[in-house]
Amino acid sequence: MKKICLTVMLLAFVNLINAQITILDENGNVIEDGSVFVFNTVDENDNVDNPESKLNYQIQNNTSSEIGVKAAMVEIIGSDGSNVQFCMGDCLFNVTESSVVPVAYSFPIGANATQSVGVYLWNFNDSSDYISYKFKVYQTDSFGNESGTPIHITYVYNANASVSDVNLQKLGVQVN
């Protein structure tokens, strides 16, 4: 009986950790782990706050306490990491596969709050027809270390794509 109770408590704890943050697109739709967004332009557009090639996202804190979060670049394909803005409070303008934002602190999100200001990835590097940036967003503990389950997002610049800002997962395509 003790083993069953311990197992149930452990599963409940794991589910609690996994559900502490939710990533949303700029329209409030949930971005699932492994989502891929494809852009066919690096253009800024006339609207500086919403360029066509900018992936804005929101981080929702699902707890009753303030939490800290960070984002880390996991993989870069087709680019040297220049001419990109990787932002979460702080912005990096050149990234590597080990880049983390914010650099010196965890990005605070209030209890039951959603943060969207200053949280985005924007590629304006057109040195290749295909560039991919895979990054993860994760909660941090009080020491700034990763905790819980991260959410992975892939930003793709494909100059030959016919439609801008496509979420493949919403179209029923699973990318591994």
Side-chain angles (χ1 to χ4, degrees):
M1 186 63 165
K2 284 184 180 181
K3 289 182 182 179
I4 293 173
C5 289
L6 184 58
T7 302
V8 169
M9 287 175 42
L10 182 61
L11 288 173
F13 179 72
V14 167
N15 285 337
L16 179 63
I17 288 174
N18 290 340
Q20 290 185 342
I21 62 171
T22 301
I23 307 300
L24 308 167
D25 67 17
E26 57 192 342
N27 297 318
N29 301 308
V30 173
I31 296 176
E32 301 290 339
D33 184 47
S35 291
V36 177
F37 294 86
V38 179
F39 299 85
N40 66 353
T41 182
V42 296
D43 293 339
E44 182 176 358
N45 201 349
D46 292 335
N47 183 351
V48 175
D49 294 327
N50 190 22
E52 293 177 8
S53 59
K54 188 175 184 183
L55 174 60
N56 293 296
Y57 61 96
Q58 304 172 53
I59 306 167
Q60 180 177 312
N61 176 359
N62 300 321
T63 72
S64 57
S65 302
E66 181 177 288
I67 61 170
V69 294
K70 288 189 173 217
M73 191 61 62
V74 175
E75 179 181 62
I76 302 171
I77 298 171
S79 174
D80 63 1
S82 63
N83 296 320
V84 63
Q85 288 183 8
F86 184 41
C87 302
M88 183 180 286
D90 292 342
C91 284
L92 299 177
F93 300 96
N94 292 292
V95 295
T96 65
E97 290 183 353
S98 60
S99 295
V100 176
V101 288
V103 175
Y105 62 96
S106 292
F107 192 69
I109 302 177
N112 299 305
T114 301
Q115 179 58 263
S116 61
V117 176
V119 182
Y120 62 90
L121 180 73
W122 176 23
N123 172 65
F124 45 96
N125 181 346
D126 61 358
S127 63
S128 171
D129 284 345
Y130 181 88
I131 299 173
S132 172
Y133 301 96
K134 181 176 183 180
F135 65 100
K136 65 181 178 179
V137 179
Y138 57 92
Q139 186 174 343
T140 59
D141 63 18
S142 58
F143 301 105
N145 300 312
E146 183 175 341
S147 65
T149 302
I151 299 169
H152 296 84
I153 302 168
T154 302
Y155 175 112
V156 173
Y157 162 68
N158 184 344
N160 300 313
S162 61
V163 179
S164 175
D165 193 16
V166 175
N167 183 330
L168 296 177
Q169 193 168 27
K170 286 185 180 179
L171 297 174
V173 176
Q174 183 176 2
V175 178
N176 293 321

